[in-house]
Amino acid sequence: MIPNLTQLPQLSPAALEGLRALLTIIESGLAAAPPPPVAPRRTIQELGNEFLVSKARTGKSPRYLIQLRSTFSRLFRGKMLRQAHTVTTAELEAWTQNLKGGASTHRGAITDTRTLFTFAQRRGYVSSNPAAAIELPRQENKPVAIQTPEQVAAVMHAAQLSDPDIMRLLAVQYFAGLRSSEAHRLIEAEILPRYIEVKAEKCKTRRRRLVPITPTLRAWLDAGGSLPVESLWKRLLRVKRGAGVPFPPNAARHSFCSYHLAHHGSAARTSMEAGHSEAMLFAHYRELVTPETAAAFWAIAPLPECELAGQSENIIPLRTEQAA
């Protein structure tokens, strides 16, 4: 039988008084309770500094931290005192579009900003990530630019004749595949009899690796020079100009990966020695050069003593920094 809901039981006067007393107690308790805490707030400048310090404490490389700082300085120029929680997706999208550069620059800025606001969200400074909704611009997968064996030989021989230290630096990039940042921080103690040790703190991936010293690299290492190189950039630029051949960005490492993969035919081996993924290899380096061209690359050798003595007479010596 369904009860008649319109006929509710009546409370007694005593029960009503008790209910009123209970409500009074509850209301007075709520009035005396402190207000809920206000969420912590940070300006963009405060947030950025806290974020960089946090990343530094986790062991991120100085190179990465400098890159982040540069991105944020350009993106938030004139807006550093804005409260981070007031920044909208539309504003961030407009700010990233105003940055000079192509799709790669915009993708990097958006990715870094997503990381920044994810950090802010974890710390309770913002309720949501305004950068998460920004679409990443499409990036064209352009083939990497490498040098021909003849161009590499011209660069290495120019360095051998004018600056053996730069020759040694370029040798570990061309024939061991070290990144510029890794080669520039390499010291002689890390060049072992059979391997080059790339320590974790000097590696982009933060993973230590051992790169075998091939006969080609051994010949160039035995030709002289010493690492690290002082006044590196000026001396490197002089050698590049003296070689008189095109020198695309990251040409040495790109050349190593291309010629190593074509010569050995093993993506796993090349990726292990170069320190990046097989997917990266197949995306950029597969079928870029022929095995015959790769063989010519690995046959590049230092000038013999007789040729070195003859050609050095025609080389104008580099001026010292004092003379310059």
Side-chain angles (χ1 to χ4, degrees):
M1 180 176 179
I2 300 176
N4 187 354
L5 298 180
T6 60
Q7 296 180 357
L8 298 176
Q10 297 295 319
L11 294 176
S12 66
L16 286 173
E17 288 298 325
L19 182 58
R20 290 193 184 97
L22 179 60
L23 291 175
T24 301
I25 295 172
I26 293 174
E27 290 174 353
S28 62
L30 290 174
V38 178
R41 300 303 186 195
R42 292 289 186 275
T43 64
I44 292 175
Q45 184 178 41
E46 292 170 336
L47 172 61
N49 289 335
E50 187 175 335
F51 172 72
L52 291 174
V53 169
S54 176
K55 289 297 180 184
R57 287 172 177 167
T58 62
K60 297 298 183 183
S61 69
R63 184 186 183 95
Y64 176 64
L65 296 175
I66 292 172
Q67 177 261 311
L68 285 175
R69 186 179 183 277
S70 174
T71 297
F72 297 149
S73 296
R74 290 183 294 113
L75 183 63
F76 298 119
R77 183 176 290 121
K79 311 171 186 71
M80 288 293 184
L81 298 183
R82 275 283 301 272
Q83 292 291 321
H85 70 281
T86 66
V87 176
T88 66
T89 298
E91 285 179 317
L92 280 178
E93 192 168 30
W95 297 345
T96 55
Q97 288 299 318
N98 289 334
L99 289 176
K100 294 181 180 179
S104 178
T105 299
H106 294 158
R107 285 177 66 92
I110 294 169
T111 301
D112 290 342
T113 307
R114 285 179 179 177
T115 306
L116 174 68
F117 278 93
T118 296
F119 171 85
Q121 195 173 10
R122 288 200 304 266
R123 300 220 167 178
Y125 304 149
V126 298
S127 58
S128 61
N129 188 336
I134 302 177
E135 295 289 339
L136 290 174
R138 182 178 178 181
Q139 189 172 11
E140 296 296 332
N141 189 17
K142 298 181 180 179
V144 298
I146 66 172
Q147 292 171 306
T148 66
E150 294 76 17
Q151 291 171 338
V152 175
V155 173
M156 292 301 298
H157 291 155
Q160 184 184 9
L161 289 167
S162 62
D163 196 329
D165 292 344
I166 294 297
M167 174 197 70
R168 195 173 187 84
L169 176 77
L170 290 171
V172 300
Q173 294 182 253
Y174 276 122
F175 305 115
L178 269 64
R179 298 176 176 88
S180 296
S181 58
E182 297 167 347
H184 296 173
R185 301 168 66 188
L186 190 70
I187 61 175
E188 288 297 320
E190 295 161 350
I191 302 178
L192 309 176
R194 296 177 55 195
Y195 298 94
I196 291 178
E197 179 187 12
V198 184
K199 294 187 175 180
E201 62 270 19
K202 299 181 181 181
C203 183
K204 179 180 178 180
T205 60
R206 283 295 186 265
R207 294 181 179 178
R208 173 181 176 267
R209 73 180 190 275
L210 295 175
V211 183
I213 295 179
T214 62
T216 303
L217 177 57
R218 173 49 62 194
W220 284 102
L221 293 177
D222 291 344
S226 179
L227 298 177
V229 180
E230 297 182 0
S231 303
L232 185 152
W233 293 110
K234 291 181 179 179
R235 295 166 65 179
L236 182 60
L237 182 59
R238 287 168 180 164
V239 168
K240 289 181 178 180
R241 288 176 174 174
V245 298
F247 210 106
N250 298 316
R253 178 171 166 83
H254 290 331
S255 297
F256 168 84
C257 292
S258 300
Y259 293 123
H260 190 282
L261 182 60
H263 188 67
H264 296 286
S266 172
R269 178 175 176 178
T270 302
S271 63
M272 181 178 66
E273 294 187 21
H276 56 41
S277 67
E278 292 186 40
M280 179 74 73
L281 282 176
F282 281 105
H284 297 288
Y285 303 106
R286 189 180 185 183
E287 299 177 355
L288 198 60
V289 297
T290 64
E292 292 76 16
T293 307
F297 171 83
W298 292 106
I300 297 173
L303 293 170
E305 288 294 334
C306 57
E307 291 188 32
L308 193 62
Q311 294 194 36
S312 61
E313 296 177 356
N314 300 320
I315 297 296
I316 300 175
L318 297 176
R319 294 181 299 168
T320 62
E321 296 300 321
Q322 290 79 6

